[in-house]
């Protein structure tokens, strides 16, 4: 199976898992339920994911993966916010995942297994961000500066996503891209490029 096909199957599993978690609750949802919802055997499901909670990972990693792509193409002399907005695709990219992801992020507050996946996703993203930022700056990814910059970016993205998810119950909720933009500006990634 091609990597593209595997990625689509993982996303299908993630969406079905969120729907089941929302409908039945995390505790009441079984691996058999998830496998049946996507039309595969439970044994095949466990080849994709080690636990039922980890089945949601693709929905949580997607926006962070996109941010990694934006970091790799970020030109000198431009703020990260301006770069992300100049690519034009960021708002569209985030719309595709908004509904199930907001449910999932809110769910993480009450479900330790989902929270563990949420925090693992961000920990992995932080390591990736440190590597990309270090390459950009000609620095070591393990240097204090690279790690702090990556942690700052990662924290801004995590808090923005949590804030956005909480506000989805409002009559006129903000978009994920607008909330991320505000968080990045607040964290210093906005008006001017960060000094290196």
């Amino acid at each position: 199976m091609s990597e593209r096909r595997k990625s689509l199957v993982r996303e299908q599993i993630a969406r079905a898992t969120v729907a089941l978690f929302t409908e039945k609750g995390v505790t009441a949802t079984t691996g058999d339920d998830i496998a049946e919802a996507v039309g595969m055997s439970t044994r095949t499901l466990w080849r994709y994911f080690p636990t039922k909670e980890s089945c949601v990972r693709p929905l949580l990693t997607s926006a962070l993966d996109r941010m990694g792509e934006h970091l790799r193409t970020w030109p000198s002399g431009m703020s990260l916010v301006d770069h992300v907005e100049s690519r034009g695709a960021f708002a569209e990219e985030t719309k595709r995942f908004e509904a199930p992801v907001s449910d999932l992020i809110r769910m993480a507050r009450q479900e330790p297994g989902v929270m563990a996946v949420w925090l693992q996703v961000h920990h992995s993203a932080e390591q990736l961000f440190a590597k990309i930022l270090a390459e950009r700056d000609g620095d070591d990814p393990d240097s204090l500066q690279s790690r702090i910059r990556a942690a700052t970016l990662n924290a801004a993205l995590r808090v923005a996503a949590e804030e956005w998810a909480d506000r989805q119950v409002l009559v006129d909720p903000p978009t994920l891209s607008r909330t991320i933009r505000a968080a990045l500006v607040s964290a210093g990634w906005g008006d001017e490029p960060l000094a290196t």
Side-chain angles (χ1 to χ4, degrees):
M1 188 182 294
S2 71
E3 279 308 309
R4 170 116 177 94
R5 176 75 179 124
K6 286 179 186 176
S7 177
L8 291 172
V9 171
R10 285 184 187 103
E11 185 180 327
Q12 180 186 15
I13 292 168
R15 288 179 181 278
T17 302
V18 172
L20 287 166
F21 283 178
T22 302
E23 177 189 336
K24 298 174 69 169
V26 175
T27 304
T29 300
T30 66
D32 292 335
D33 295 332
I34 298 166
E36 183 180 329
V38 294
M40 66 175 50
S41 72
T42 305
R43 184 175 173 179
T44 301
L45 174 72
W46 298 139
R47 286 188 198 139
Y48 283 94
F49 299 101
T51 66
K52 65 183 178 183
E53 291 87 356
S54 67
C55 289
V56 302
R57 189 178 176 97
L59 291 177
L60 297 176
T61 61
S62 182
L64 292 169
D65 291 344
R66 298 293 188 283
M67 183 55 75
E69 292 169 18
H70 292 305
L71 284 174
R72 283 188 187 95
T73 60
W74 178 23
S76 298
M78 177 183 271
S79 75
L80 180 58
V81 170
D82 288 344
H83 172 58
V84 169
E85 289 181 343
S86 73
R87 295 197 59 187
F90 193 64
E92 284 305 312
E93 290 165 356
T94 56
K95 279 182 190 172
R96 192 163 82 90
F97 294 94
E98 284 190 355
V101 172
S102 66
D103 293 340
L104 194 53
I105 294 170
R106 284 193 307 276
M107 193 181 303
R109 295 229 169 99
Q110 286 83 37
E111 297 292 342
V114 177
M115 177 58 80
V117 174
W118 176 238
L119 295 176
Q120 288 167 356
V121 162
H122 275 278
H123 181 70
S124 296
E126 188 171 308
Q127 293 172 327
L128 174 66
F129 295 164
K131 182 176 185 239
I132 296 169
L133 290 169
E135 287 171 5
R136 172 184 162 75
D137 299 338
D139 198 1
D140 176 357
D142 293 325
S143 74
L144 181 62
Q145 179 174 327
S146 294
R147 292 180 61 210
I148 292 294
R149 290 184 72 206
T152 302
L153 173 59
N154 190 42
L157 295 171
R158 183 182 54 76
V159 171
E162 291 169 354
E163 175 77 8
W164 162 79
D166 288 344
R167 293 178 175 269
Q168 293 310 293
V169 296
L170 302 177
V171 174
D172 186 22
T175 64
L176 179 55
S177 60
R178 187 170 23 144
T179 308
I180 288 172
R181 182 191 194 289
L184 291 176
V185 169
S186 294
W189 296 88
D191 298 327
E192 298 293 332
L194 288 182
T196 59

